[in-house]
Amino acid sequence: MTANLRQTANTVASSMIEGASMATALIGGAAGAYLGYELAPASWTDGARIAFAGAVAVVGAVAIDGLAELVLAPMRRLMYKNRSTASASTGRGSAPAPADTLDQALAQVATATEDDAANRAANASIRIDHGDNFLRDVDRWRGYEDGEASFYLAPGVWLHHRSEKDKYGYGEPLFTLLTGDGDEPVVITGLEQIRHQLAARAAGLPAAPVTADDNEVLDDDLTGIHAV
């Protein structure tokens, strides 16, 4: 059963349970009102008999609804458990079975380390991608066993992430642009730098970091080049 179909089935079943609860209360109230009016002494005025019937209707509705809850409550708990299980299953993958050997354990930890590195890189990318809709895609990050990760941008160009300790000993995310051309890594602090580098490469211009004096000249050369 797919997630959407399971959710629809749970919604329908929940509506049916709540509908059954309301129906039993109405039936109990109607039955109580009828019995209360019939059992009221004939010597009473119509107003008194109606008031007595109303009181009995309330008692009947509460009593019947309480009896129905003995059946409906377990069904509600089951529905809640199913929704919780479905939410958990869609939020993350299931953990692997316990390893039987040291090699299996090592393989599991290596895979977990790679996944952790990819997630850390995606989460840390908010430092340079405030739009939160490009670099935060964890599926495009490739994690490695050493805790570093890379994001494929274009043929021969990757964004690399690693953590470096600051002067207080805390891990600080560091993003660099790597190429297959042997160029020096370029420290990246914003998406505009990535656009600048890719546009330079698309125009066949030097992709090395430019100084403040050269920046205006290079921007003139890139006029008309669309961001990749």
Side-chain angles (χ1 to χ4, degrees):
M1 182 182 294
T2 63
N4 289 336
L5 184 59
R6 185 183 298 109
Q7 183 178 2
T8 301
N10 287 337
T11 301
V12 172
S14 179
S15 299
M16 292 177 63
I17 291 174
E18 296 306 321
S21 178
M22 182 177 297
T24 55
L26 291 174
I27 292 173
Y34 175 78
L35 291 175
Y37 190 84
E38 290 296 322
L39 293 176
S43 60
W44 288 7
T45 64
D46 288 343
R49 296 182 70 183
I50 291 174
F52 180 74
V56 176
V58 173
V59 174
V62 173
I64 296 299
D65 186 60
L67 292 175
E69 277 298 303
L70 296 177
V71 177
L72 298 178
M75 298 176 65
R76 284 196 181 93
R77 287 194 293 270
L78 179 61
M79 292 299 303
Y80 178 78
K81 180 179 180 180
N82 289 339
R83 286 196 297 267
S84 299
T85 301
S87 299
S89 64
T90 56
R92 61 180 183 274
S94 58
D100 295 325
T101 65
L102 184 59
D103 288 339
Q104 289 181 1
L106 181 59
Q108 289 179 358
V109 173
T111 300
T113 303
E114 293 173 357
D115 291 341
D116 179 73
N119 277 276
R120 286 178 182 272
N123 290 332
S125 67
I126 196 173
R127 298 285 190 94
I128 60 176
D129 180 13
H130 296 287
D132 198 23
N133 58 0
F134 179 52
L135 297 178
R136 289 296 299 274
D137 186 356
V138 68
D139 292 332
R140 292 189 60 179
W141 283 96
R142 164 75 184 279
Y144 303 100
E145 293 183 39
D146 60 1
E148 300 181 3
S150 61
F151 186 101
Y152 175 83
L153 290 168
V157 184
W158 296 267
L159 181 66
H160 184 262
H161 169 264
R162 71 175 186 271
S163 180
E164 286 193 347
K165 290 186 177 181
D166 59 18
K167 61 181 180 180
Y168 301 107
Y170 295 105
E172 186 73 14
L174 176 66
F175 292 93
T176 54
L177 199 68
L178 303 181
T179 72
D181 302 329
D183 296 330
E184 288 293 325
V186 179
V187 176
I188 299 297
T189 58
L191 283 179
E192 70 281 357
Q193 292 173 299
I194 298 177
R195 184 212 65 81
H196 183 87
Q197 291 291 323
L198 293 181
R201 292 177 181 279
L205 299 172
V210 296
T211 64
D213 294 335
D214 296 332
N215 192 46
E216 184 177 350
V217 176
L218 185 54
D219 282 342
D220 291 339
D221 292 336
L222 294 178
T223 301
I225 299 297
H226 295 289
V228 177

